[in-house]
Amino acid sequence: MSEVKTPPVRAQHIPDKAAFHIGGVGQVPGSFRIGEPDDDGERYFWYCCPCGCGSIAPLTVGEGFKPADGPSWTWNGSFDAPELTPSVHHRGHWHGWLRNGEWVSC
């Protein structure tokens, strides 16, 4: 599958773990859930690919900071208008940014 460009997709927070994962409402393109922070304040930011493929993947994020280990992102801490830095590359599916609560293709 080649990467697709989509119109902006609204990020929808799904707080319930069971509802988010496969078979639940988490398969809505652009939906996400945030795991609890670990001892270093890092969290998993689970998201459903904005391209519409239904693939769910985790990102390692820090609220207001970028974790030092491995690929990681800074999350602004918002559930209503989340932002991630840098861009998100869901290889083979979609590449873009999560800005002001919208997934925007690059």
Side-chain angles (χ1 to χ4, degrees):
M1 174 179 199
S2 63
E3 291 175 8
V4 298
K5 293 193 181 287
T6 62
V9 174
R10 187 79 192 145
Q12 177 185 355
H13 178 237
I14 310 294
D16 181 57
K17 182 178 183 177
F20 177 78
H21 286 284
I22 297 174
V25 294
Q27 289 184 297
V28 172
S31 61
F32 70 99
R33 78 172 289 278
I34 307 287
E36 293 297 319
D38 65 13
D39 292 340
D40 296 328
E42 298 175 6
R43 300 174 177 228
Y44 283 118
F45 185 104
W46 292 90
Y47 72 98
C48 184
C49 185
C51 85
C53 69
S55 176
I56 295 174
L59 302 173
T60 301
V61 301
E63 185 175 346
F65 71 97
K66 186 176 186 304
D69 294 333
S72 63
W73 289 258
T74 301
W75 169 50
N76 69 346
S78 176
F79 293 94
D80 297 322
E83 295 192 2
L84 295 175
T85 305
S87 66
V88 175
H89 190 186
H90 196 102
R91 293 184 193 261
H93 294 264
W94 186 89
H95 184 209
W97 296 268
L98 177 55
R99 294 182 176 154
N100 196 28
E102 289 189 326
W103 298 93
V104 180
S105 294
C106 63

